[in-house]
Structure formats: C-alpha cells, structure tokens
Amino acid sequence: MQQSKRLTEFKKSVTNKFNIYNSLFLSLPYADMENVGMLVPLLFDHCEKGLQQGKKPQEILDTFFANFTEMNAESERLDFMFRIIQYVERQVVLYDSVEDAAFPKLQEYTNSLSINDYFELVNRSKNWDKIAKKLSTFSARIVLTAHPTQFYTPAVLDIIAELRALIDENRIDDIDLTMQQLGLTSLINAKKPTPLDEAKNIIHILRNTYYNAIGELFQYVKKNIRDANFDNYNIIKLGFWPGGDRDGNPFVTANITNQVADELRLTLMKCYYNELKVLRKKLTFKGLQSPINELNIKLYKAMFQENFVIGYDEIIEKLEEAKAILVSEYHSLYLDDLNQLIDKVHIFKTHFAALDIRQDHSKHHLVVETILRQKGIIKGDLSELSDDELLDNLLNKDFNLQDDEFDIDIVRDTIKNIKQLKDIQAKNGEQGCNRYIISNSEDIYSVLFVFGLFRWCGWKEEEITFDIIPLFETMKGMDASEEVMQTLFDTPKYRAHLRRRADAHTIMLGFSDGTKDGGYLKANWSILKTKETLSGVCEKNGIKVMFFDGRGGPPARGGGKTHRFYAAQTKDVANHEIQLTIQGQTITSTYGTKEQFIHNAEQLLTAGLSNNLFGEEHTISKIQRDLIEELSELSFAKYDSLKQHDKFIPYLEHRSTLKYYAQANIGSRPGKRGNKAQLTLSDLRAISFVGSWSQLKQNVPGYFGLGSAIQKFKIEGRISEVESLYKEVPFFRALMHNSMMSLAKTNFNLTGYLKEDQEFGGFWNILHDECLLSEKMLLEISGHKILMENEEVSRESIKIREKIVLPLLVIQQNALYHITQESKYKALYEKIVTRSLYGNINASRNSA
C-alpha cells in the first residue's frame, strides 16, 4: 500500500512535472540550435523503435536524417549530433532537479526507518538506556572520494540547486529563465581538472550542504535521545580523499595535499564566521561583546590567511565564555542558537573533513627499496634481504631522510609528504589527517613499509599519530588478511603502536577491484567471510576493529542499496562503526541536498542500530554457507572464463568507450595504472572498467556468472535450495537485488549489431546469453515477474533516465562504428564518443 502511494506521488511530483518542464525546455530558442529541441522526441521514438526492430545505430540515424531533416552532408549531421548531446545532458540535469525537489514528499511514503522511527520503537519498549548507550559511541564515517565521475562545476551545481527550489514552488517564469541559463552554461570542464579543482568542487558541497545537514541531524538526536549529557560529536564524521588519494594519480603531490588541507580549514572558518555573524545580530548585549568580537576578528583572519591558525580549543573557549555570560546575565536568550554553533565546532573542529592519505603498496615498495639502496644496505633490490633483516631495517634502523637526497619523483614526494603531515596536524588538528591507507595490501609489508617510512622521515615511534589502514582488495589479499593481521599483532613494535592508538584498527576490504578480480558474487561473499574472520582475530587480540567499505557507485564497484547492505551483515561482523566511501556522482545524486544527506546518514545509523537493538541477529547456517560458497565458485568460474577469453580486453579496447575515459575532462586521475603499451586487466582502473560496460548498457561486472551458477543448481534439481537462500538470508537477497538493478539498466539491443561483427560477434553472444540467463534465473528464485518488482519508484526513475539518454547512446554507438570504418571524420566521431560519456554517467547516477 505504501509503495503504491509512493509511486502515485512520484508520477505526480516527478514524471508529470518533468514532462511539463521538459516541453518548455525543448522549445527554448538557443543560438544556433533552432528546431533541435523539437526533433529530440522524434529522435527518441525513432531510436526506440529502430532498436526493437534490430536495426543498427547507423541505420537508425541515416533513416532519421532522411525522413525528418534536410541534412545530407555528413558534417551537418555531425554538428546536429553534437547539439543533441548538449540537449540530452541538460535534460538529465532538469530531471535530476525535479526528482531531488520531490525527495521530501516521496519520503512521506517510504518504508525506510528514520531515527525518529527508532525513537518511537524505543519509546514503546521503554528501552531508552540501551539506545542512548549505543548512540553515545556509535558513528558513521562518510568518506568523499574524487573518482572521475564527479564533474559538475560549482556554477552548474548552483543552477541545479536553484532549479530545485523553483520547481518546489512551481515558479514557471523563473524556471523558464533558469533553464535558459542552463542551456547557455557549459556543463563540462574546458580542461582536465587538477586534484585541487576536484577538492574545491566537493568542498563547495561541504560548505553549502553538509555543514548544516550534519548540524541539524546532531541537534535532532541530541534533543530526542533523552540523555541530557549526550555528546557524541562523532556520530557522523566526514572523510575526504581528494588531494590525499595518490593511488594511481601522479598529479596528487605533497604540495597538493597541503593546499587541500588548507582549503578545508579555511572554508570551515568561513562557515563559522558566517554563522557567528548572524548570531552577533541577536547577541547584542554589552557583556558579550568582548569574547564574541575577539573571536570574530580571529575567524576573519583565519578564513583568508593560510598561516593564521586559530585552534579548536581557542574557538570553544571564546564561545563557552560567551555562553556563561549569556546564562548568568541575560536570561539564556538565544542560548539554543549559540549552542548549535558550539556543537558544530565540536563536530568539525578545525578540519571540516578528515583528509585521508592513500597510496598503492607497490609505490611504497619502490620507495623503501630506493632508500635502502641509497643507504648501502642493498645493492639491487629487496630480495637480497631476509624477512628478519628487512623487518630490522623497518622497525629499528634510524635514518633522517631528506627529500632532496633522491632523484626519483615518487621517492622525493613520498618523503616530503610524510614529513609535512605533522604540520597539517598542527594546523587542522590531529583528527584532520590521521589515516594512511595502502591499496593492494597482500602481506605485512603493506603496513610495515608505511610504519618504517614514518620512522625514517623523523616521526618518533611514540608520536606516530596515524592509523595505518591496509586495503585488502584482491582475492589474494583477502585470503592472506587473517595471517597478515595476526602477524602484525604479534610484532611487538606494531602492537605498541596500536596501544597508543587506543587498541583500535581500521581495515578496508574489497573496494572496486574486488569485483573486477573475482566477479560479483565471489567478491562480495569473500568480503563478508573476511570481515567475520578478521572480527574474530581482532577480538582474540583485544583489538577493536572498524571495517571501511568502498561503496557508492554501482553494485559492480561496491554500491547498491547501502542500508540493505549494512542491515544484512551477520552477527559475527564487528559493528562498532560504519565507514564507507561515497564515490563519483553519488556524492551529488545520493547525498547532494540537505534532505537527501540527512535521510541517507540516518539510514547508515539505523542500519548499524538494527543489528544491535531491534533487528534479529543475522546468522548464516553451515548448510547455507556451503550453498553460497558453491554458487560463488560456479559464478566465478564463469566470470573467470570470460576474463581469460582472448577477446575480453580487445573488446573493451575496440568496441567500448574505454580509451575515451582518459580523454574526457572528467577527473585528474589517468584512466589506467602504469604506462605499458599492452593493456592488461590489472592495469585497468575499476572506474573506467565498470564505466565502459555501463556505457555499452551491458553492465557485465554486476551479474555475470550468476545465471550460469543458478542454472546448474536447477539442472541438478536443486533450485529450491537457492530459492530458500533468497528468502532466508538477507545478505544473499541484498546481493541478488543489486544484480537485478544492474540487469534493469542493460539494453543489449543497443549493441545488437555486434552479433554480426566478424571479430567480436561470438564474444558479444556470450555476454548476451549470460544476461538473459541471469535475468531468467533471478526472477525464478525471487518469484518476481519483472526486475525490481518491489521497487516501483526506483524502477520508474531508471526507466525515465534510460529514455532520456537513448538518443545519446545511439549516437555514441554510431560514432564507435564509424571510428572502426576509418571515416575521414574520425577525429570528430572520437570527440562525439568522449562528449557523450557525461550525459550517460549522470543519467545512471551510479554508473561508474
């Protein structure tokens, strides 16, 4: 019933409004684009029917131009296609704005449990002590990344915000004007953004959305938890990767890291200054002038001068001084307003968001090897040392490294960065930068290289105020993780470091490369099993473990329904804190408005609470585990055979948009690791890998292998076992739902012409067959008639988004075809492919 009401509201507030505003938008007279908007609906209809009839993209466009336009020259047609792409991009922005504006109304009909719902449940059970105790220590850390699918400029984000507000108030004339502004404003970067540009774009969202959203959420919990002393200022923490994540991004340097740390702090000082400015208009009492004005002057300096630093303690001291006077002499007038600012200072301190450092283990290997060679300890490489000798150097040898001693850029910059982290902590506070993450961790040296580098760069062991976080992302890494962590705990010097870090350890698992490496089911099942194993290892050693998950983006990169994911964790997974990355355009699409941020942050908290307070503790029996294991191995075998196919990489290179990701001005990071001439799967970044399948509307990493695995059970007469898994195991059901979402976004008609391709026809058929089989098998075990049957609103939203971008995708496929034909306009067709990436990425909202 609730779903039906929600769908009715969606059609009224989203579908109908979008159709009205879209008709206005398509009739706007832009310079040099007359009549293009009028042809967009005709082109969509022609594309949809043409693909259903099995026509090739080039045939569809040729007949469209012949029947509906007078454009005969190829150059004219190319110009028209560029204009269609521009229109489609803006249609996507318009749809996003309409859907975001409707978000608060749609939430009235949601089944999701909010914090308020939990408080009502507690009120009925009179279990306030239990929830107060849990909320006093529990927290969710939302870590924003700079992966290259987040590319709207602040100017465009401001237009989107304005459109949302106008649509909410149905101000047609102003909407018309703003859509004209949208039509004339470039949606893409004129050049590749630098890491600093990426950071500033996301800091813009911190300042304009998250600052107030987190403040409001905290106030709500504080006022309703029935605990007068509630002071868990870490209930929602922000993490930040832009400017600190140098894994695969040579443009993130020590200087960039320092600039981003300053930008975070300076922007936060602006937030404090502006809030204090409003407060000063209320606190006009004589006795308050001294502390308030003194703080005002210092905040003003601190928001413009990088070298003028005002500390967290000093800000709090002045605000508490003002509070004491307000309470004792002025009847506590406006005390709530002052308390809200004090609480925000406790939450954000002087860092706003904690800047994480991340680097790949192979880079640290190179740095350590270079240093030991320069010090004369080895002549060639690290293999000259035994394990004991290498450990002795890392844990006991004292060097006083200077970056200018070395010629290799990565060595110099790594040393410079580790040395400067002390200064960043001095300015932003320890919490502003105290985590170092190592990608591709597979042995103890992933952690101990970093520990050793801190020692060699001048950090005294007892003063290393950093958590060193291994990221076990490959199957090999996850398999080795238990032994790695136990060996680290058994290493006296590292164990002493952990005692100084409150006997706590953060571990990151899976991330994007897990699915690329192991296939969808095996990767996610391995992550859960590894979490359970590591929870036990850490508990045995007296260590409090926090798991850090790579999420956001599509299911193939760890995304999907976040609340469903965390609520489905088993009782054997440590649940002290939820930590997750928010990647790509998910930053704006899922956490982009204050209402969306609060809702999704609440979902993280309630998911964590559900496993402790109200939810039934999830267990997976031995029989069920054996079944999932069997299914995961079967699906992996199918996926692995695809990876080993001799056309796997060539198909992506020559029939997808893969190589064009690097040419798009989306992000600062290169499209692949290293610079080998021959592309390998290990070199491929998960973003461009998953994104390329998405642009093809094939979404292979999100389901491939599942159909074959389930079918084998059916052939053996065991399909009922898989049906029972789906019904009884929330974790398995959550994965199947995510795969159904991936399948719902496929459209093999778009690339149907490839079945006749002399080189790749057979490979395309393998992909298509598994897609059809996976859909059939998933529908059978779920008992559903259609994909996403119980998610009507999400299904409707996907349908509209896919409809908007269909002309763009046909144009993209047509361009890919002409590139293979060595057209004299090849350069323009390549530009079309690159240019068409943006609209599709945005429309999918979690495409890469």
Side-chain angles (χ1 to χ4, degrees):
M1 188 63 166
Q2 195 82 332
Q3 279 291 327
S4 177
K5 288 180 180 178
R6 195 162 188 256
L7 183 61
T8 301
E9 180 62 43
F10 182 88
K11 287 180 176 176
K12 182 174 77 174
S13 298
V14 179
T15 309
N16 294 345
K17 278 191 177 183
F18 172 69
N19 288 336
I20 291 167
Y21 297 137
N22 190 42
S23 63
L24 284 174
F25 174 70
L26 293 175
S27 62
L28 289 175
Y30 297 124
D32 302 321
M33 294 173 73
E34 291 86 353
N35 300 322
V36 176
M38 305 300 285
L39 290 171
V40 170
L42 282 173
L43 179 57
F44 163 75
D45 188 61
H46 197 70
C47 290
E48 186 177 48
K49 289 176 180 173
L51 290 176
Q52 287 170 354
Q53 292 164 7
K55 291 184 179 177
K56 299 175 182 179
Q58 59 269 29
E59 291 176 317
I60 292 170
L61 289 173
D62 285 345
T63 55
F64 173 79
F65 283 120
N67 294 340
F68 298 104
T69 77
E70 296 178 358
M71 301 176 200
N72 296 313
E74 192 171 2
S75 57
E76 270 188 298
R77 294 181 174 188
L78 280 161
D79 185 61
F80 175 84
M81 286 187 267
F82 274 113
R83 303 206 181 286
I84 289 290
I85 291 169
Q86 291 174 315
Y87 258 96
V88 168
E89 286 173 343
R90 286 159 178 79
Q91 280 182 290
V92 172
V93 171
L94 176 60
Y95 182 77
D96 283 347
S97 302
V98 172
E99 193 170 65
D100 290 347
F103 184 82
K105 289 180 183 174
L106 291 172
Q107 289 315 107
E108 294 173 17
Y109 305 102
T110 183
N111 292 321
S112 303
L113 288 177
S114 65
I115 287 287
N116 181 55
D117 295 326
Y118 268 79
F119 286 157
E120 287 182 10
L121 285 169
V122 174
N123 201 34
R124 281 184 232 148
S125 63
K126 306 301 180 189
N127 205 6
W128 280 104
D129 288 346
K130 193 172 182 181
I131 193 172
K133 183 178 179 182
K134 185 63 183 176
L135 277 175
S136 68
T137 58
F138 192 79
S139 71
R141 182 189 288 259
I142 298 169
V143 181
L144 308 169
T145 78
H147 294 310
T149 53
Q150 178 61 41
F151 56 84
Y152 280 145
T153 62
V156 174
L157 290 174
D158 285 340
I159 292 173
I160 293 172
E162 179 69 10
L163 268 176
R164 274 197 304 262
L166 296 173
I167 288 166
D168 199 39
E169 298 171 18
N170 289 315
R171 289 162 56 184
I172 297 288
D173 290 342
D174 292 327
I175 290 168
D176 183 72
L177 198 63
T178 308
M179 285 195 296
Q180 289 186 54
Q181 179 189 357
L182 173 65
L184 298 170
T185 301
S186 175
L187 267 66
I188 63 169
N189 300 303
K191 58 183 181 179
K192 271 191 179 294
T194 67
L196 184 60
D197 294 331
E198 290 173 330
K200 286 182 175 180
N201 280 359
I202 300 176
I203 290 171
H204 174 87
I205 301 169
L206 292 184
R207 180 180 180 181
N208 292 287
T209 302
Y210 297 173
Y211 176 75
N212 286 320
I214 292 175
E216 284 187 25
L217 180 57
F218 179 83
Q219 291 301 322
Y220 182 83
V221 173
K222 183 180 178 181
K223 287 174 183 174
N224 288 278
I225 200 171
R226 300 190 184 184
D227 178 3
N229 299 314
F230 181 76
D231 62 354
N232 181 11
Y233 299 110
N234 289 323
I235 192 164
I236 297 290
K237 294 185 280 193
L238 291 175
F240 203 79
W241 277 16
D245 180 10
R246 57 239 313 127
D247 176 17
N249 193 341
F251 306 114
V252 177
T253 62
N255 288 338
I256 288 289
T257 299
N258 192 51
Q259 286 177 284
V260 171
D262 283 341
E263 192 69 29
L264 283 163
R265 187 184 69 258
L266 267 57
T267 302
L268 179 60
M269 295 303 116
K270 291 172 186 174
C271 292
Y272 291 160
Y273 176 83
N274 288 332
E275 190 161 353
L276 186 64
K277 185 178 177 182
V278 173
L279 199 54
R280 284 175 67 207
K281 293 178 181 178
K282 297 176 179 178
L283 304 179
T284 52
F285 320 122
K286 184 178 179 183
L288 288 170
Q289 297 305 303
S290 177
I292 293 292
N293 286 343
E294 193 176 330
L295 179 58
N296 184 69
I297 290 167
K298 289 192 173 183
L299 287 175
Y300 186 81
K301 285 184 181 178
M303 69 184 191
F304 290 117
Q305 299 177 24
E306 292 172 4
N307 295 321
F308 184 87
V309 177
I310 178 171
Y312 157 68
D313 290 335
E314 187 177 356
I315 299 172
I316 286 295
E317 182 185 341
K318 291 299 175 189
L319 291 174
E320 289 290 353
E321 184 182 337
K323 178 179 175 179
I325 297 168
L326 190 64
V327 171
S328 63
E329 299 180 27
Y330 297 102
H331 315 293
S332 297
L333 200 60
Y334 297 119
L335 180 60
D336 281 352
D337 299 73
L338 179 57
N339 276 335
Q340 285 175 28
L341 176 55
I342 290 172
D343 285 339
K344 282 180 182 168
V345 175
H346 282 310
I347 292 167
F348 300 114
K349 297 185 171 59
T350 52
H351 62 268
F352 213 162
L355 181 61
D356 287 349
I357 308 300
R358 184 169 81 123
Q359 181 57 287
D360 189 85
H361 174 51
S362 63
K363 301 300 182 186
H364 295 138
H365 186 283
L366 170 65
V367 173
V368 168
E369 192 170 69
T370 304
I371 291 167
L372 292 181
R373 190 164 51 239
Q374 193 252 22
K375 297 297 178 184
I377 293 168
I378 58 175
K379 293 181 179 177
D381 57 48
L382 292 179
S383 64
E384 297 169 27
L385 299 175
S386 67
D387 284 345
D388 287 343
E389 289 171 330
L390 180 54
L391 285 173
D392 181 58
N393 278 283
L394 293 169
L395 299 175
N396 300 313
K397 271 279 193 287
D398 289 320
F399 301 132
N400 185 15
L401 299 178
Q402 301 301 322
D403 57 280
D404 58 8
E405 296 177 62
F406 300 90
D407 297 327
I408 301 172
D409 287 344
I410 186 67
V411 178
R412 280 204 312 267
D413 196 74
T414 300
I415 294 168
K416 182 178 179 182
N417 185 56
I418 291 175
K419 290 175 83 72
Q420 76 170 359
L421 295 177
K422 281 184 183 178
D423 294 330
I424 290 175
Q425 286 191 345
K427 291 188 290 185
N428 288 28
E430 184 194 316
Q431 290 183 39
C433 186
N434 65 356
R435 292 158 36 113
Y436 201 119
I437 300 152
I438 308 100
S439 307
N440 280 307
S441 293
E442 294 181 349
D443 57 37
I444 59 168
Y445 297 112
S446 57
V447 169
L448 294 183
F449 279 173
V450 175
F451 186 76
L453 284 168
F454 267 82
R455 293 183 64 258
W456 297 347
C457 289
W459 290 72
K460 294 179 182 177
E461 279 179 32
E462 62 276 13
E463 295 174 2
I464 299 177
T465 47
F466 262 77
D467 296 326
I468 304 173
I469 302 172
L471 166 47
F472 300 110
E473 54 190 317
T474 62
M475 295 297 109
K476 181 181 176 183
M478 284 189 272
D479 289 343
S481 62
E482 179 181 10
E483 183 182 352
V484 168
M485 295 312 300
Q486 185 58 63
T487 306
L488 288 170
F489 297 151
D490 290 339
T491 304
K493 286 212 171 188
Y494 189 71
R495 189 64 185 81
H497 168 70
L498 289 181
R499 277 194 288 276
R500 292 188 290 270
R501 302 302 293 162
D503 282 323
H505 208 301
T506 300
I507 301 172
M508 195 169 184
L509 292 172
F511 204 51
S512 305
D513 283 333
T515 302
K516 187 185 82 174
D517 185 34
Y520 184 66
L521 181 57
K522 183 176 175 67
N524 283 281
W525 176 234
S526 297
I527 289 169
L528 181 71
K529 289 190 299 178
T530 305
K531 279 186 176 181
E532 292 175 334
T533 300
L534 292 178
S535 295
V537 170
C538 291
E539 185 177 14
K540 182 178 75 176
N541 286 274
I543 300 293
K544 178 181 177 181
V545 64
M546 277 79 67
F547 291 112
F548 183 14
D549 296 295
R551 293 189 61 76
R557 289 187 56 239
K561 300 289 185 181
T562 300
H563 181 275
R564 186 188 290 160
F565 170 80
Y566 282 110
Q569 302 289 290
T570 66
K571 70 179 182 62
D572 295 320
V573 174
N575 187 36
H576 305 296
E577 182 174 308
I578 283 175
Q579 298 186 17
L580 74 164
T581 59
I582 301 299
Q583 303 162 19
Q585 72 273 34
T586 312
I587 292 172
T588 49
S589 67
T590 309
Y591 292 80
T593 67
K594 185 171 72 174
E595 294 79 11
Q596 287 172 323
F597 183 92
I598 290 174
H599 168 75
N600 284 295
E602 283 188 1
Q603 291 298 288
L604 294 178
L605 294 174
T606 58
L609 293 173
S610 68
N611 289 335
N612 293 82
L613 300 175
F614 307 108
E616 180 183 341
E617 285 193 330
H618 298 310
T619 57
I620 305 177
S621 70
K622 170 95 170 45
I623 292 173
Q624 290 168 335
R625 285 175 179 275
D626 290 344
L627 281 172
I628 298 174
E629 189 72 38
E630 193 175 347
L631 281 165
S632 76
E633 290 302 326
L634 286 169
S635 66
F636 173 67
K638 181 70 176 177
Y639 176 71
D640 194 50
S641 70
L642 185 74
K643 284 199 307 179
Q644 304 306 324
H645 196 290
D646 61 353
K647 297 301 178 189
F648 185 74
I649 293 295
Y651 180 80
L652 286 171
E653 279 192 290
H654 303 298
R655 293 295 183 270
S656 84
T657 60
L658 179 65
K659 63 184 176 185
Y660 299 98
Y661 267 82
Q663 296 173 22
N665 293 331
I666 295 175
S668 65
R669 188 189 303 257
K672 65 185 181 76
R673 295 180 175 94
N675 52 12
K676 299 177 199 165
Q678 184 70 37
L679 182 65
T680 64
L681 185 60
S682 60
D683 291 332
L684 265 182
R685 298 209 63 85
I687 290 162
S688 47
F689 175 71
V690 173
S692 296
W693 291 115
S694 173
Q695 294 283 331
L696 286 167
K697 288 297 160 191
Q698 293 175 353
N699 296 330
V700 164
Y703 60 83
F704 196 90
L706 276 178
S708 292
I710 298 170
Q711 185 187 46
K712 187 168 190 300
F713 271 68
K714 184 176 181 179
I715 291 169
E716 294 173 356
R718 301 170 60 199
I719 190 76
S720 60
E721 296 177 34
V722 189
E723 291 169 348
S724 296
L725 266 187
Y726 176 85
K727 288 174 189 165
E728 296 167 11
V729 181
F731 169 77
F732 183 75
R733 187 166 59 248
L735 294 184
M736 297 306 101
H737 283 175
N738 282 342
S739 284
M740 289 188 208
M741 185 197 302
S742 293
L743 285 162
K745 294 181 179 182
T746 61
N747 183 355
F748 271 80
N749 286 339
L750 182 68
T751 54
Y753 68 95
L754 286 173
K755 70 178 105 179
E756 299 170 13
D757 188 287
Q758 190 171 353
E759 184 178 358
F760 295 107
F763 185 79
W764 183 92
N765 279 314
I766 292 172
L767 303 177
H768 186 226
D769 289 347
E770 187 64 19
C771 174
L772 295 177
L773 183 60
S774 295
E775 179 174 345
K776 180 183 175 184
M777 291 294 99
L778 285 170
L779 291 177
E780 185 165 343
I781 64 167
S782 65
H784 294 173
K785 292 183 174 60
I786 57 173
L787 294 169
M788 301 180 71
E789 185 175 290
N790 296 328
E791 298 174 66
E792 293 174 319
V793 168
S794 293
R795 196 174 70 239
E796 187 72 12
S797 178
I798 288 171
K799 187 170 122 186
I800 295 171
R801 290 175 180 280
E802 297 298 312
K803 178 177 176 179
I804 291 170
V805 295
L806 188 63
L808 178 150
L809 292 169
V810 169
I811 287 170
Q812 184 186 78
Q813 284 298 315
N814 174 68
L816 286 167
Y817 168 77
H818 281 286
I819 290 167
T820 67
Q821 302 304 302
E822 294 298 324
S823 162
K824 69 175 181 177
Y825 292 104
K826 183 179 178 182
L828 280 176
Y829 280 116
E830 288 186 323
K831 189 176 178 184
I832 278 182
V833 174
T834 304
R835 193 70 180 74
S836 61
L837 293 172
Y838 301 89
N840 188 35
I841 287 171
N842 268 352
S844 296
R845 283 208 152 182
N846 65 354
S847 62

